[in-house]
Amino acid sequence: MLKKLFMLIVAGFLLASCAATKTEQGGDADAASSSASSSSGGEITAGTQEDLIVNVGDRVFFEFDSSELTVDAQATLDAQAAWLMQYPDTNITVEGHADERGTREYNLALGDKRAFSVYSYLAQSGIDTNRMEYVSWGKERPEVIGSDETAYSQNRRGVTLVSN
Amino acid sequence: MIKKILVILFFSLSANAALDVTISQGKVEPTPIAITQIFGEDSETARYGNTLRQIINNNLTNSGLFYTVNEDLYIQSDNLVEKVPRFEDWKLIKAQFLLSADVSKTDKGIRLRMRLYDVFNRKEIEKLQLTIPDEDLIRRVGHTVSDIVYERITGETGYFDTRIVYVSEIGPLDQRVKRLAIMDQDGHLDSHQFLTDGKNLVLTPRFAPNNQIITYMEYKNNLPRVYIYNLKTGEREIVGDFPGMTFAPRFSPDSQSVIMSFSDPNTANSELYLMDLNTRSLSRLTNDSGIDTSPSFSPNGEKIVFNSDRGGSPQLFIMDKNGDNIRRISKGRGTYGNPVWSPRGDLIAFTKLTQGNFHIGVMDTNGNNERVIVRDFALESPAWSPNGRYLIFHRQKRSNLDGTGGEVTINFIDITGYNERIIPTPLDGSDPAWSPLL
């Protein structure tokens, strides 16, 4: 898993720098992003949310009732930190989410702790906190609808969103 | 308003009526009552009479403490407001109590006259006359009469002239649109009103004990903060200027303060704070690295029960109103949340998650005598009726990968565990909270 992630990350950097060059040359952000939205192997504008999703990974996952970063999560965040270093004008909002197996209010608190775990890991990795905000959505915005562990494991997440 | 009218026009003539409710092993045998037609003098007043009769009938039946004797059995069909009933006729069809009323128009507005009779003891036990300026208050008259009958016969405080604020839900479960909404306790559509437009996510409304204000959480500009909403003026106002998330608000019993969780943006740790709404002064009540949330005051304002994972998993704790003497009260297996102190002061309702199911139950205020009232896949947000006899909560169905399922309803249940029913809402509903008596 870790190895796979790492390879993805390396591939991501290559793609990202490639795309960055193209954007600079083309100078048409709209055209670049619309071509990026065509799915397979299309051009992705460097430094965008899509770049982050495809080439780095925009999210980390948590264990039940936990806001601790797993080893996998830390690897993803190392890559996010490197990516954020590469695009110093990019600001982000980190969203913390919970699965539906907790009360609404407890999960708001838990989502906040999860978002903060991501936020503070990135801060410790050298990302200026002026570039980052975080917010909890508790169990209000599941990524996957469903009342089973498959859905829950995808919903216990911290998501990094490019905000500018 | 009605209260004023009542004070002026209420004539109660009666000796003490005995508490006439049979309780055997927690299950209540409903008391049979006959409700005559509510007579009008023309088609308009007859229509008011029909509406009132329906409201009273529904209220009493839904309480689980009454059943209405089938009208087809009635032997006597007169207006019994000014006429002594033939008690034998009513006794024969096993009506223990008898309600009769009429509606007429006077120069002051719409007038209702009501008589309540104890059939077995052959006497009038309640007499009421009230006048309202226009038909907008008809539903409240129905609820008020229901409360009087309920109180007279059961000896308990009524709860019908009350409202429920809740979160109305619609749309896909991953992009749910949530609006604050308010309705009479019976959920009647004529009383239903949306309070917010659905643009921002809103959660967890609670009434002030003085009833004109609610507090709730809203994601305004994607910033989750606690607000208060004045139902009289429609004004909305943020509670405090906090640099991080505020959530889980409730009023203090005197309605002068709001207790809530504040998540410190430098640690993301939730602590309980009390904000005085007049002076805007803030006091911190908890100080622990665990999550502290879902506070609820005892009705005398001396204690606070809350939810904390300071011991490793979410459990229930009690403390003094200033934050001293924190001790855990939940004792069972599983994790606990959502504690709500009963308005009678004697019980705490809670949510518990164990063995894959949510449970709503009650326990003594020291955590003893825990009792599960209802168990299902997803139950949450218990709230007490103002008389402490019933709970409302929400019940949600499982959802599926294809986006179906997840329907959520507001349900009502007697704390004996009997008489559960759905309170109708135009859309899905969650996070219900009950107003005090109006």
Side-chain angles (χ1 to χ4, degrees):
Chain A
M1 177 77 196
L2 196 57
K3 203 173 252 174
K4 215 163 149 193
L5 249 177
F6 185 65
M7 278 168 64
L8 265 175
I9 289 159
V10 172
F13 278 135
L14 291 174
L15 257 178
S17 47
C18 192
T21 321
K22 273 184 186 158
T23 311
E24 274 162 26
Q25 285 170 351
D28 187 348
D30 283 339
S33 63
S34 67
S35 72
S37 63
S38 67
S39 54
S40 64
E43 299 154 54
I44 290 169
T45 309
T48 61
Q49 184 68 32
E50 190 172 22
D51 181 23
L52 180 69
I53 293 170
V54 174
N55 298 316
V56 181
D58 66 335
R59 63 195 57 205
V60 298
F61 300 105
F62 294 89
E63 299 296 316
F64 178 70
D65 194 18
S66 168
S67 54
E68 276 178 35
L69 296 170
T70 63
V71 176
D72 282 357
Q74 292 181 26
T76 302
L77 295 180
D78 287 339
Q80 283 189 8
W83 186 83
L84 287 165
M85 292 287 195
Q86 197 182 345
Y87 302 106
D89 295 335
T90 305
N91 296 333
I92 58 163
T93 300
V94 178
E95 294 185 345
H97 299 270
D99 67 30
E100 66 181 24
R101 303 314 278 165
T103 65
R104 194 180 312 292
E105 291 173 335
Y106 183 83
N107 280 0
L108 284 170
L110 181 60
D112 219 42
K113 286 200 161 189
R114 285 176 176 162
F116 184 75
S117 291
V118 171
Y119 170 94
S120 56
Y121 190 92
L122 292 173
Q124 281 158 24
S125 306
I127 308 303
D128 189 338
T129 52
N130 289 326
R131 297 173 59 192
M132 299 191 287
E133 286 176 348
Y134 72 88
V135 65
S136 172
W137 289 90
K139 60 177 177 180
E140 304 306 315
R141 292 285 180 263
E143 178 67 29
V144 177
I145 297 172
S147 295
D148 56 31
E149 184 50 33
T150 317
Y152 301 158
S153 62
Q154 298 290 305
N155 292 337
R156 294 189 294 262
R157 69 201 193 278
V159 180
T160 302
L161 284 174
V162 174
S163 55
N164 64 334
Chain B
M1 172 105 198
I2 283 245
K3 215 165 236 170
K4 225 182 200 165
I5 296 166
L6 272 180
V7 170
I8 298 164
L9 295 173
F10 182 85
F11 305 101
S12 176
L13 290 176
S14 44
N16 294 333
L19 177 77
D20 219 328
V21 176
T22 317
I23 297 174
S24 54
Q25 294 185 332
K27 182 154 173 42
V28 176
E29 289 302 326
T31 300
I33 184 170
I35 304 173
T36 71
Q37 186 188 328
I38 297 184
F39 298 85
E41 54 186 6
D42 55 22
S43 64
E44 189 188 352
T45 46
R47 186 162 54 82
Y48 299 149
N50 280 337
T51 304
L52 286 167
R53 190 187 191 199
Q54 233 167 49
I55 293 169
I56 297 163
N57 194 347
N58 284 345
N59 280 340
L60 295 178
T61 308
N62 287 342
S63 76
L65 301 186
F66 296 90
Y67 81 84
T68 46
V69 177
N70 184 348
E71 191 181 352
D72 297 343
L73 301 174
Y74 292 3
I75 300 161
Q76 189 173 24
S77 57
D78 312 81
N79 181 348
L80 303 172
V81 170
E82 285 186 320
K83 183 174 172 184
V84 178
R86 294 195 305 268
F87 287 112
E88 289 311 313
D89 286 359
W90 296 99
K91 201 172 176 179
L92 203 62
I93 61 169
K94 297 192 163 55
Q96 210 170 322
F97 294 91
L98 170 64
L99 174 73
S100 193
D102 61 21
V103 184
S104 54
K105 276 194 138 173
T106 70
D107 53 354
K108 292 195 179 70
I110 303 162
R111 185 187 69 172
L112 172 93
R113 300 185 303 168
M114 180 274 268
R115 299 288 182 276
L116 179 64
Y117 300 99
D118 179 336
V119 172
F120 289 7
N121 291 309
R122 309 176 63 89
K123 64 176 186 187
E124 179 182 289
I125 58 169
E126 198 70 61
K127 177 180 178 178
L128 169 77
Q129 175 173 314
L130 62 82
T131 304
I132 51 170
D134 56 66
E135 67 174 303
D136 291 350
L137 289 166
I138 281 280
R139 292 190 49 75
R140 293 206 50 200
V141 170
H143 294 319
T144 302
V145 171
S146 306
D147 279 326
I148 289 165
V149 172
Y150 181 96
E151 289 176 11
R152 205 68 196 86
I153 296 176
T154 69
E156 291 182 8
T157 311
Y159 65 93
F160 300 115
D161 192 21
T162 57
R163 295 197 284 176
I164 290 171
V165 65
Y166 75 101
V167 173
S168 174
E169 301 195 9
I170 191 168
L173 293 167
D174 54 354
Q175 314 164 38
R176 208 71 157 149
V177 173
K178 296 193 172 188
R179 279 181 281 184
L180 286 183
I182 193 165
M183 59 191 181
D184 287 1
Q185 51 70 35
D186 59 1
H188 198 283
L189 198 57
D190 289 352
S191 69
H192 192 278
Q193 195 190 341
F194 290 108
L195 298 176
T196 63
D197 60 11
K199 207 180 92 204
N200 301 331
L201 179 66
V202 292
L203 302 170
T204 64
R206 299 288 173 129
F207 269 100
N210 76 13
N211 181 30
Q212 295 304 318
I213 300 176
I214 55 176
T215 184
Y216 65 104
M217 186 218 209
E218 177 171 342
Y219 280 73
K220 197 174 184 177
N221 304 318
N222 286 344
L223 298 176
R225 298 290 186 275
V226 167
Y227 289 80
I228 53 177
Y229 189 124
N230 188 320
L231 292 170
K232 254 184 180 167
T233 65
E235 278 172 279
R236 288 188 249 174
E237 188 190 348
I238 194 164
V239 178
D241 180 21
F242 292 90
M245 176 170 69
T246 49
F247 61 111
R250 317 342 177 188
F251 282 95
S252 60
D254 64 4
S255 301
Q256 300 303 302
S257 303
V258 167
I259 186 172
M260 61 190 164
S261 288
F262 165 52
S263 184
D264 183 338
N266 298 313
T267 60
N269 181 41
S270 307
E271 303 288 0
L272 293 173
Y273 283 77
L274 187 71
M275 173 168 266
D276 185 311
L277 292 174
N278 300 315
T279 64
R280 300 281 156 170
S281 68
L282 198 65
S283 23
R284 179 174 175 162
L285 300 178
T286 58
N287 191 350
D288 186 272
S289 61
I291 290 168
D292 292 317
T293 192
S294 300
S296 175
F297 268 102
S298 64
N300 66 9
E302 291 300 313
K303 306 267 183 199
I304 296 159
V305 62
F306 64 102
N307 190 203
S308 177
D309 71 344
R310 58 184 61 212
S313 75
Q315 298 293 335
L316 306 184
F317 292 79
I318 262 180
M319 63 184 174
D320 297 347
K321 65 179 175 188
N322 62 2
D324 289 346
N325 294 318
I326 295 181
R327 60 193 183 279
R328 176 174 161 177
I329 60 162
S330 53
K331 299 174 163 70
R333 287 177 53 194
T335 60
Y336 291 77
N338 267 169
V340 196
W341 213 302
S342 153
R344 289 180 182 175
D346 55 342
L347 294 171
I348 289 166
F350 58 87
T351 305
K352 179 165 84 162
L353 179 60
T354 181
Q355 296 175 319
N357 277 318
F358 276 95
H359 304 65
I360 285 178
V362 293
M363 58 174 66
D364 295 350
T365 59
N366 59 9
N368 290 342
N369 298 315
E370 181 180 318
R371 189 158 57 80
V372 169
I373 293 171
V374 55
R375 171 190 304 121
D376 199 359
F377 175 69
L379 305 166
E380 209 180 319
S381 296
W384 291 94
S385 65
N387 69 357
R389 182 182 183 97
Y390 306 96
L391 289 171
I392 47 175
F393 57 95
H394 71 246
R395 186 192 275 267
Q396 185 156 27
K397 291 189 178 148
R398 285 172 187 268
S399 59
N400 310 304
L401 197 59
D402 64 4
T404 60
E407 296 87 355
V408 57
T409 54
I410 294 174
N411 292 33
F412 166 102
I413 197 167
D414 191 297
I415 58 166
T416 56
Y418 290 95
N419 190 30
E420 183 180 355
R421 62 185 176 82
I422 291 174
I423 297 180
T425 50
L427 308 171
D428 279 7
S430 62
D431 291 2
W434 213 317
S435 84
L437 274 172
L438 295 174

